[in-house]
Amino acid sequence: MTLHQPDLAALPPGLGDHLLGVAAAPSILGRFPGLSLLPATLPVPRSKIEKIIADLAEHFTATLEDRAAVAGRLAALRQELAKRGLAGLIVPLTDEYQCEYVPLRAQRLAWLTGFTGSAGLAIVTRERAAIWSDGRYTLQLAQQVDGALFERHHITEEPPTDWLKTALKAGDRLAYDPWLHTEDGVKGFAAACKVVGAELVASEDNPIDAVWADQPPPPLGPVHIQDKALAGRSSAAKRGDIAAALRARSIDAVILTLPESIAWLLNIRGSDVPHTPLPLAMAVLSADGGVDLYIDGRKLDATVRAHLGDVRLHEPKEFPAALDALGAAAKMVQVDPATTGVYVLQRLERAGAKLVRAEDPCLLPKACKTAAELDGSRAAHRRDGAAMVRFLAWLDKEAAQGGIDELTAAAKLQSFRQLANELRDLSFPTISGAGPNGAVVHYRVSPATNRKLEPGNLYLVDSGGQYPDGTTDITRTVAIGEPSEEMRDRFTRVLKGHIALATVRFPDGTTGQQLDTLARHHLWEIGLDYDHGTGHGVGSYLGVHEGPQRIGKLGSAVPLRPGMIISNEPGYYKTGAYGIRIENLVAVRVETDKAESGKRWLGFETLTRAPIDRRLIDLTLLTPQEVAWIDAYHALVWLDIAPLVDDETRNWLKQATAPLGA
């Protein structure tokens, strides 16, 4: 049920809007970072201000999660579409920045449908409505979305463009918000409309915003500096390199709309969205190295402004006019059509700019970590590994006594991560799944779904931390009591795939797609598979999912390069029974500078430090080389983590990392 929104009318002018923005940004580890943006002296007690912000945030969340209101919201949207003469609307889960995690203001899909997964899209027409997501969320869609209101589909097996051909008729006008779609996406939808004689039209404003009465404002979280000692390079050096590349191609400027690119380029971080330290902003980098940054100035204190130096600061509302100015001057402007809202491209072209469609120039250098960033990641993984080992030792002791549930376990793991006082946030909501919940690939525990960890269960925990020196992501599958032979067989096959990927050597120029089969081979042997990618890129105190590198059936065309960090996470999921995943982060490194072929050869350095459950390993399925890898990995875990934990945990770790067969 929606809570009563606090009354802000009695506050001094401007303060109410400020508090709304702070409340619309995420609470991180129990507090709102935007509190630091408030003046030292306030007209009302600070405790009252904090209570108002907390109440506002609770109101926003309760409204968003009110599934009982979904039918009314769907009806209101249809009325709005009819008023505008529109046959339907496409509703993606994204914002104008194309972020993975979006602020409350941009959670239009959740508000409309009740679905809270991290990937999805809905289409509403006068008579029908449907929602799509991928294989990670098949079960979650069924649990959260009313099938009487929305048809539920797998986005690759039953793509929305096919659905549109059955849902539209000649003369229909299907709307989209041009800020929320890329150019390729728009082309696909336009082609589907054309087949039936319908038309895809850009909406000047989003129709959902017109019917979402208490939609949160843009978030207001503070920006902070990412020190050069952690970044490894100065912002000036990064800007100089990209500007030189622009000049070499006679390009006047590049548009940057990905906040992670801007954060990397300017050596800043923010707190506007959950789990990723991003400042929501857009920028224009000119060929002379100058930067125009479009950001809410309230997020910048004097220290950050000094760090930004000659960066020219503007409010976000000025960005469209800046696009017009580039066009009026007939500038040659680079834009990434894969990561930029089509609004930007359309506005530039209408204004007269000459567009160069090319990849965001920050993506590849950001993905190839500096030596400082790699050192930071190793340190973060040792710290994170100590927390994981404390957790696994606690779990081994407490779960056998009963009484532990998924929520308790997730909270305990977070508390261990906070012990070192370096945790800035979780890198994503912890996946804490016991028994059948572990089979939901991106399961998110709630009081309604919370299960006990019972004997005979497998418990899957996928979690990570954001630290100033690195981002972590680890999955461990743990036996609660005695596992079945089937569980041990499936776990060992997943482990064999994990080892095959961890130990592979490959020539320079190899893509992740070429390596994906290695992780699946031993499952394929018995007719099994998993419906998710095998590896995603990871940032340096940035996004836990970072491109352009990827390992998967539909992997990236970008070759793996030294310095890239990527996950190694094969799995297996038996619906209604259990889930298995083993995930470490690895860094691409040079193994041989120049082999006989003339090419250098690459491999992976495993960064993650936490034991793999020996009770789930079937030794009869392992080769001597695989046993040797596990023993060597566990020896590294012991060497790095034993000095960081207490005596009781160290004794547990000694057993957990003992050689197989010992």
Side-chain angles (χ1 to χ4, degrees), residues 593-639:
D593 275 323
K594 193 173 183 181
E596 185 178 338
S597 64
K599 283 190 172 185
R600 66 178 179 177
W601 283 67
L602 309 178
F604 294 122
E605 171 195 353
T606 296
L607 301 172
T608 305
R609 294 288 188 266
I612 296 165
D613 194 340
R614 299 164 79 252
R615 296 165 297 188
L616 283 166
I617 298 173
D618 183 346
L619 280 172
T620 66
L621 294 177
L622 296 181
T623 66
Q625 292 80 10
E626 290 166 338
V627 171
W629 182 89
I630 296 167
D631 287 345
Y633 175 68
H634 278 160
L636 279 176
V637 173
W638 170 258
L639 182 69

Side-chain angles (χ1 to χ4, degrees), residues 428-449:
F428 56 96
T430 296
I431 298 169
S432 176
N437 286 345
V440 181
V441 177
H442 271 204
Y443 171 68
R444 187 167 181 179
V445 60
S446 69
T449 63

Side-chain angles (χ1 to χ4, degrees), residues 208-275:
I208 288 182
D209 298 351
V211 296
W212 188 351
D214 51 359
Q215 184 181 27
L220 189 55
V223 173
H224 54 273
I225 299 166
Q226 182 72 349
D227 194 85
K228 181 185 172 184
L230 296 174
R233 298 193 72 209
S234 69
S235 173
K238 296 175 185 179
R239 289 156 54 187
D241 286 350
I242 294 174
L246 294 177
R247 292 194 299 272
R249 298 168 58 209
S250 300
I251 295 173
D252 297 303
V254 60
I255 306 296
L256 301 175
T257 59
L258 286 176
E260 52 263 53
S261 291
I262 294 166
W264 172 85
L265 181 70
L266 300 179
N267 284 349
I268 57 175
R269 299 295 187 266
S271 46
D272 283 332
V273 298
H275 307 301

Side-chain angles (χ1 to χ4, degrees), residues 234-577:
S234 69
S235 173
K238 296 175 185 179
R239 289 156 54 187
D241 286 350
I242 294 174
L246 294 177
R247 292 194 299 272
R249 298 168 58 209
S250 300
I251 295 173
D252 297 303
V254 60
I255 306 296
L256 301 175
T257 59
L258 286 176
E260 52 263 53
S261 291
I262 294 166
W264 172 85
L265 181 70
L266 300 179
N267 284 349
I268 57 175
R269 299 295 187 266
S271 46
D272 283 332
V273 298
H275 307 301
T276 308
L278 295 179
L280 294 185
M282 294 185 180
V284 179
L285 171 61
S286 300
D288 63 3
V291 173
D292 289 273
L293 179 65
Y294 297 84
I295 190 170
D296 189 329
R298 295 176 296 173
K299 300 175 184 178
L300 310 174
D301 65 18
T303 303
V304 173
R305 288 174 182 269
H307 164 78
L308 290 171
D310 60 358
V311 172
R312 296 177 289 270
L313 301 174
H314 312 269
E315 290 298 308
K317 64 183 179 182
E318 299 175 53
F319 184 65
L323 301 178
D324 292 343
L326 288 169
K331 296 293 187 181
M332 187 82 73
V333 182
Q334 181 173 325
V335 186
D336 186 345
T339 64
T340 304
V342 71
Y343 173 95
V344 174
L345 287 83
Q346 292 172 345
R347 184 126 188 177
L348 283 167
E349 286 188 319
R350 283 199 303 267
K354 301 169 187 175
L355 292 194
V356 177
R357 290 168 169 82
E359 184 178 77
D360 180 332
C362 299
L363 293 184
L364 193 56
K366 174 167 62 68
C368 298
K369 308 297 183 285
T370 64
E373 288 173 325
L374 289 171
D375 283 344
S377 184
R378 294 181 187 107
H381 277 91
R382 287 192 294 271
R383 190 182 309 118
D384 201 67
M388 278 297 302
V389 166
R390 289 188 181 99
F391 170 73
L392 292 171
W394 168 85
L395 186 68
D396 213 29
K397 178 181 177 182
E398 298 296 329
Q401 301 176 29
I404 303 298
D405 58 33
E406 295 166 343
L407 284 170
T408 302
K412 192 69 175 178
L413 176 52
Q414 179 175 321
S415 72
F416 283 127
R417 281 199 165 100
Q418 290 178 267
L419 281 178
N421 203 31
E422 292 284 346
L423 185 71
R424 296 297 180 263
D425 195 359
L426 300 182
S427 54
F428 56 96
T430 296
I431 298 169
S432 176
N437 286 345
V440 181
V441 177
H442 271 204
Y443 171 68
R444 187 167 181 179
V445 60
S446 69
T449 63
N450 191 26
R451 291 180 64 95
K452 290 281 184 70
L453 279 59
E454 299 173 341
N457 276 177
L458 292 185
Y459 172 62
L460 186 153
V461 57
D462 185 349
S463 66
Q466 290 283 11
Y467 303 94
D469 47 2
T471 300
T472 69
D473 183 3
I474 174 175
T475 307
R476 288 296 181 263
T477 305
V478 181
I480 307 299
E482 185 65 27
S484 69
E485 287 304 309
E486 179 187 284
M487 291 173 177
R488 296 177 73 240
D489 175 90
R490 305 303 190 260
F491 182 91
T492 306
R493 290 179 184 276
V494 171
L495 178 58
K496 285 168 75 72
H498 181 97
I499 295 170
L501 200 54
T503 57
V504 66
R505 301 293 180 264
F506 50 93
D508 202 357
T510 300
T511 67
Q513 187 172 20
Q514 292 172 281
L515 301 181
D516 181 69
T517 305
L518 294 171
R520 300 178 190 269
H521 171 69
H522 299 284
L523 288 167
W524 285 0
E525 285 184 324
I526 58 171
L528 301 176
D529 200 2
Y530 51 94
D531 193 11
H532 60 74
T534 300
H536 56 82
V538 178
S540 179
Y541 188 38
L542 275 173
V544 74
H545 300 116
E546 176 182 86
Q549 70 272 31
R550 188 173 186 270
I551 300 174
K553 294 178 181 179
L554 302 175
S556 167
V558 175
L560 298 176
R561 301 192 184 195
M564 287 180 169
I565 296 176
I566 197 164
S567 67
N568 173 2
E569 52 177 311
Y572 170 71
Y573 311 91
K574 186 173 183 179
T575 301

